[in-house]
């Protein structure tokens, strides 16, 4: 059974940094694009960043562009989300997900992903 396990969340202050990790098991990791989504209380799940299976193509939401960096290590079956200059509005549960799509449009759409992790909480205090 495919498992995606996120870690690295926590409570930080405005301007701080965090690095999230997502380790995949029982998944042909190098054959899947990976995405990070987030969901704040009372709001819909929203796209944050994605990376194609090669690691060459990355896509970001405008709200995180220039502050977040997504990367992957196919040898370690791990995708990362480096988050810098964090803001209170970044507070959410962050989920990683896997898809077999690799076009930029599909990578932004949570409906294109079919494996999901349980999420890790990120809280940014002002």
């Amino acid at each position: 059974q495919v498992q995606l396990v996120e870690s690295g969340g926590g409570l930080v202050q405005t301007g701080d940094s965090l690095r999230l990790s997502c380790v995949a098991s029982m998944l042909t990791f190098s054959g899947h694009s990976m995405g990070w989504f987030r969901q704040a209380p009372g709001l819909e799940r929203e796209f944050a960043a994605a990376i194609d299976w090669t690691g060459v193509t990355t896509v970001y939401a405008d709200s995180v562009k220039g502050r977040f960096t997504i990367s992957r290590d196919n040898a370690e079956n791990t995708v990362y989300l480096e988050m810098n200059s964090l803001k209170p509005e970044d507070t959410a549960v962050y989920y990683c997900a896997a898809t077999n799509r690799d076009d930029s449009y599909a990578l932004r759409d949570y409906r294109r992903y079919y494996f999901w992790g349980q999420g890790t909480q990120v809280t940014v205090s002002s």
Side-chain angles (χ1 to χ4, degrees):
Q1 183 174 351
V2 172
Q3 280 194 317
L4 301 178
V5 180
E6 303 96 335
S7 62
L11 172 63
V12 297
Q13 295 185 332
T14 298
D16 284 351
S17 298
L18 278 176
R19 188 174 83 154
L20 305 183
S21 301
C22 171
V23 180
S25 58
M26 302 301 290
L27 176 74
T28 308
F29 186 75
S30 60
H32 286 78
S33 300
M34 302 297 294
W36 285 97
F37 292 78
R38 63 187 186 182
Q39 187 166 19
L43 299 180
E44 293 187 355
R45 189 169 298 189
E46 67 169 359
F47 169 75
I51 187 167
D52 76 341
W53 63 276
T54 69
V56 172
T57 298
T58 56
V59 184
Y60 297 94
D62 289 343
S63 58
V64 308
K65 195 174 297 182
R67 299 188 298 122
F68 290 12
T69 302
I70 189 170
S71 61
R72 65 189 296 158
D73 184 340
N74 285 347
E76 298 294 330
N77 287 358
T78 302
V79 60
Y80 303 98
L81 186 67
E82 183 76 34
M83 305 186 295
N84 298 315
S85 303
L86 283 163
K87 306 174 182 180
E89 51 264 43
D90 295 318
T91 295
V93 177
Y94 283 71
Y95 300 90
C96 73
T99 178
N100 63 354
R101 300 290 296 268
D102 61 6
D103 56 290
S104 297
Y105 181 80
L107 291 178
R108 296 175 180 272
D109 186 352
Y110 74 91
R111 297 168 296 180
R112 306 301 182 184
Y113 292 78
Y114 42 82
F115 295 122
W116 290 85
Q118 292 301 306
T120 185
Q121 176 70 47
V122 172
T123 303
V124 185
S125 65
S126 57

